[in-house]
Amino acid sequence: MASMATFRGLVSRACTAGRVPALAGRPPLGATSAFGQLQLQHQLHPSPSIIATSTGLDNAPLHLHQQRRTALTKTKKRQRAKMQERARRVARGLPAKPKPPRYIDKSRPVTNALTREERDEESRRFDAAAAREMQAKIEEQGQKEANLRFKFDGLVMSDRVKKLFDLSNGSQGEVVASQKRRGMELFQQREGDTGSSAVQVVALTTRIQQLQTHMAKHHKDKSTKRGLDALYVRRRKVLDYMERKDFESYRKVVKSLGLLR
């Protein structure tokens, strides 16, 4: 009985939807009562008021009120705006595209330009002057007393006590720190200068050389290799800053330390 009732319900719904024609001489199932006949009539022939209510507009086809998709994407809109702006510039007598900042026309003549031979000669004179200045600083530094451990330079002490504080009796860290301090003194701009760009490059180079010696013996020390790469980056950034701001100091540091730039 349950399967028969399910079959009758399916046939009734199909007939009311108009997909299955009603049996000849018999009304569709479920349409025998007055309410069922009225419901069937509304389903098969809906009134215009119902259509207007469902669509939201009076006497308008459904396909005209569906969502319209424009053919202009955001990229195409931006391109169209660019073309319109270029057309307006051309109409005003300007070039279609604006020139970039600091633009120099190729037809502009170059004035006060030096030949390659003159530039090379100027570079040689500058290198020679920088070398003389560095040699004078090294000689002046050599005339001072030898560096002692724990920064005991300049103290009055006997020869036996001075031998105890000599760097030959110090550790490797003390020797490296002394070399770093002496190198920084060659490039410092004033007494006690530890923050100028040239002094920072000297300090970083000393640390890089120390780590390079360590890596030559311990090839698989990956953490030290990572720190060494970070020091390379820091020194390159400081040198790039010096090249932009103080080119003379940059040339002195690069030539004195033998850096490849």
Side-chain angles (χ1 to χ4, degrees):
M1 294 296 292
S3 61
M4 189 63 183
T6 306
F7 175 74
R8 293 181 62 184
L10 291 174
V11 173
S12 176
R13 286 194 293 272
C15 291
T16 55
R19 292 192 297 269
V20 179
L23 298 177
R26 293 183 58 182
L29 297 176
T32 55
S33 62
F35 178 75
Q37 293 177 1
L38 181 61
Q39 186 179 9
L40 178 61
Q41 182 180 1
H42 280 291
Q43 290 178 356
L44 296 178
H45 305 286
S47 62
S49 60
I50 296 177
I51 296 177
T53 305
S54 62
T55 58
L57 295 173
D58 296 338
N59 302 325
L62 289 175
H63 67 277
L64 295 180
H65 300 288
Q66 294 177 354
Q67 182 180 3
R68 295 183 180 179
R69 296 192 178 184
T70 177
L72 291 178
T73 60
K74 292 183 179 179
T75 304
K76 289 184 179 180
K77 289 180 180 179
R78 287 195 297 267
Q79 292 176 354
R80 178 174 291 185
K82 282 185 180 180
M83 296 301 294
Q84 292 175 355
E85 177 62 24
R86 290 175 184 175
R88 286 194 292 267
R89 291 178 59 88
V90 171
R92 294 199 302 266
L94 301 174
K97 294 182 180 180
K99 300 297 182 183
R102 301 178 183 177
Y103 173 77
I104 299 176
D105 194 359
K106 293 182 179 180
S107 60
R108 180 178 176 181
V110 179
T111 57
N112 298 330
L114 300 177
T115 62
R116 181 174 296 274
E117 291 77 10
E118 293 174 345
R119 290 199 302 269
D120 293 342
E121 182 63 28
E122 182 183 0
S123 179
R124 283 192 292 269
R125 288 198 302 268
F126 180 85
D127 294 342
R132 288 194 299 270
E133 180 182 356
M134 188 61 58
Q135 186 65 29
K137 288 184 178 181
I138 292 174
E139 292 176 357
E140 181 182 357
Q141 194 177 61
Q143 295 175 359
K144 296 181 181 179
E145 294 183 359
N147 288 343
L148 301 179
R149 300 174 62 188
F150 311 116
K151 299 182 181 180
F152 283 173
D153 305 337
L155 297 180
V156 178
M157 59 184 70
S158 62
D159 294 338
R160 297 180 61 183
V161 175
K162 188 175 294 185
K163 287 182 180 180
L164 293 175
F165 293 108
D166 191 74
L167 277 177
S168 59
N169 298 325
S171 62
Q172 183 181 2
E174 292 175 343
V175 174
V176 172
S178 175
Q179 293 176 354
K180 176 181 175 181
R181 184 171 64 253
R182 291 170 67 89
M184 292 169 62
E185 289 176 356
L186 296 176
F187 292 93
Q188 61 185 5
Q189 299 177 357
R190 58 188 179 280
E191 188 69 24
D193 179 19
T194 59
S196 60
S197 300
V199 173
Q200 290 184 40
V201 172
V202 174
L204 290 172
T205 304
T206 305
R207 180 60 177 166
I208 287 172
Q209 292 174 352
Q210 182 184 6
L211 293 182
Q212 284 175 344
T213 305
H214 173 82
M215 288 299 300
K217 187 176 181 180
H218 306 279
H219 301 285
K220 295 186 178 181
D221 193 350
K222 303 300 182 183
S223 59
T224 302
K225 180 64 167 60
R226 184 172 178 272
L228 183 60
D229 293 340
L231 289 176
Y232 285 142
V233 174
R234 286 180 57 187
R235 185 175 67 177
R236 186 178 69 246
K237 288 183 178 180
V238 178
L239 288 173
D240 291 343
Y241 173 79
M242 291 181 64
E243 187 177 8
R244 294 194 310 269
K245 301 295 183 180
D246 191 0
F247 188 71
E248 293 186 1
S249 299
Y250 165 78
R251 293 177 63 178
K252 288 180 182 178
V253 171
V254 170
K255 291 289 184 180
S256 301
L257 300 180
L259 303 179
L260 297 177
R261 292 285 291 177

